[in-house]
């Protein structure tokens, strides 16, 4: 029955189903921007700097931030630093692994806009 089936096809199908199962078991942490205040840096206000910074946060099972990194800069160091500092102090909704709260990475885009 399996004589004509290529071994690589079976292995590839198995790897794809295993990776799907692993990804389904982990849900990343989430962030509600309404529950967190980040101050616009004064120098950035004066220089009319705007932009969006993309960051990754390692969120503990209690919702606190364990680590952070900038994935894509806004183009302005002050805005990037302020976003990381401000959001690191915020409470996140923790992610889950296999249905239980766990430490997970999540990405956040933070847009700095002048009115």
């Amino acid at each position: 029955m399996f004589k004509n089936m290529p071994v690589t096809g079976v292995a590839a199908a198995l790897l794809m189903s295993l990776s799907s199962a692993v990804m389904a078991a982990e849900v990343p942490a989430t962030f509600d921007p309404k529950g967190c205040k980040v101050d616009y840096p004064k120098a950035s206000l004066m220089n009319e700097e705007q932009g969006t910074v993309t960051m990754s946060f390692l969120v503990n099972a209690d919702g606190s931030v364990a680590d952070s990194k900038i994935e894509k800069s806004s183009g302005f160091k002050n805005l990037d630093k302020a976003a990381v500092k401000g959001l690191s102090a915020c409470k996140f909704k923790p992610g889950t692994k296999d249905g239980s709260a766990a430490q997970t990475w999540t990405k956040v885009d933070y847009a700095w806009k002048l009115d």
Side-chain angles (χ1 to χ4, degrees):
M1 179 175 176
F2 293 102
K3 284 184 183 179
N4 295 332
M5 189 171 195
V7 176
T8 55
V10 173
L14 180 60
L15 287 174
M16 286 178 63
S17 65
L18 286 175
S19 67
S20 297
V22 170
M23 290 191 332
E26 183 175 316
V27 177
T30 56
F31 169 71
D32 181 9
K34 294 175 188 165
C36 186
K37 175 115 169 81
V38 180
D39 293 326
Y40 218 110
K42 288 182 177 147
S44 296
L45 278 172
M46 289 175 27
N47 293 324
E48 298 181 355
E49 297 171 348
Q50 302 182 86
T52 300
V53 57
T54 301
M55 301 156 286
S56 288
F57 293 95
L58 180 59
V59 179
N60 291 318
D62 66 358
S64 63
V65 174
D67 195 10
S68 62
K69 56 186 172 184
I70 295 173
E71 299 286 332
K72 184 179 175 203
S73 174
S74 65
F76 301 99
K77 230 180 230 189
N78 284 340
L79 295 181
D80 295 347
K81 284 182 184 180
V84 169
K85 182 180 178 184
L87 296 182
S88 291
C90 297
K91 188 84 165 176
F92 284 70
K93 179 181 177 194
T96 60
K97 286 184 185 172
D98 298 323
S100 299
Q103 189 178 62
T104 59
W105 281 97
T106 190
K107 280 192 178 185
V108 176
D109 290 329
Y110 194 84
W112 295 97
K113 294 180 184 176
L114 295 170
D115 293 330

